[in-house]
Amino acid sequence: MNNNLKEVTIYTDGACSGNPGPGGYGVVLMSGPHRKELSGGYQLTTNNRMELMAAIIGLEALKFPCAVNLYTDSRYIVDAINQGWAKKWQKNNWKRSQKESAKNPDLWERLLTISEQHQVQFFWVKGHSGDEENECCDRLAVKAYQQPDLLPDLGYSQ
């Protein structure tokens, strides 16, 4: 990581009641003594979309380029980024293979675009295993989808 950039740690989690169903995301951003929690909920979505949304919202909250360690319990995100799959899907017009389209291209596009503005390392953390910040994100995500007047997830289609 570039030592000239401000270092930020981001924890993220997504949750869904049913899959698909009402969903939410939770984010914890930390830098030095500063801590910020973010969350939001949607009427009808999927767990993977909320995992992606959490990472996007966390990175979009940064006001200038940062060196970021992003922790998520989503293998879907960590493997797709760290193995280079997401960039390959993007290059292939959001196709995983000749016959199979990649899911959630709208959110993958946002995540790849915002990630390019920072130096981001993605790390997997086991969910529901006592990691304090991951547990906090899970609580934020669940509370978010339990709120009234949830937003429509305009990118989700069944």
Side-chain angles (χ1 to χ4, degrees), residues 7-75:
E7 292 188 18
V8 178
T9 299
I10 301 176
Y11 278 82
T12 68
D13 197 18
C16 224
S17 179
N19 197 21
Y25 64 83
V27 180
V28 173
L29 297 103
M30 297 176 292
S31 182
H34 306 286
R35 176 188 176 92
K36 186 173 190 176
E37 296 179 357
L38 304 169
S39 63
Y42 293 86
Q43 297 166 4
L44 182 65
T45 191
T46 65
N47 190 69
N48 280 343
R49 287 185 66 78
M50 292 300 93
E51 296 283 2
L52 284 161
M53 186 60 77
I56 291 164
I57 295 298
L59 291 169
E60 287 180 348
L62 303 175
K63 294 178 175 49
F64 46 83
C66 295
V68 180
N69 288 327
L70 190 146
Y71 295 87
T72 174
D73 62 10
S74 172
R75 286 260 187 221

Side-chain angles (χ1 to χ4, degrees), residues 6 25-26 28 33 51-52 57 85 90 97 99 120-121 143 147 149 153 155 157:
K6 183 176 182 178
Y25 64 83
V28 173
E51 296 283 2
L52 284 161
I57 295 298
W85 303 336
Q90 182 185 43
S97 67
K99 296 180 182 176
V120 187
Q121 292 184 316
K143 186 175 180 184
Q147 299 302 308
D149 302 322
D153 181 349
S157 62

Side-chain angles (χ1 to χ4, degrees), residues 49-112:
R49 287 185 66 78
M50 292 300 93
E51 296 283 2
L52 284 161
M53 186 60 77
I56 291 164
I57 295 298
L59 291 169
E60 287 180 348
L62 303 175
K63 294 178 175 49
F64 46 83
C66 295
V68 180
N69 288 327
L70 190 146
Y71 295 87
T72 174
D73 62 10
S74 172
R75 286 260 187 221
Y76 176 62
I77 293 175
V78 172
D79 290 347
I81 294 291
N82 292 345
Q83 302 294 328
W85 303 336
K87 284 193 175 183
K88 192 185 322 184
W89 302 335
Q90 182 185 43
K91 184 179 161 194
N92 293 331
N93 200 25
W94 300 108
K95 298 282 187 195
R96 291 182 55 184
S97 67
Q98 292 214 351
K99 296 180 182 176
E100 186 181 6
S101 295
K103 292 189 171 153
N104 308 311
D106 59 326
L107 297 183
W108 280 115
E109 187 72 50
R110 275 178 72 185
L111 182 59
L112 291 174

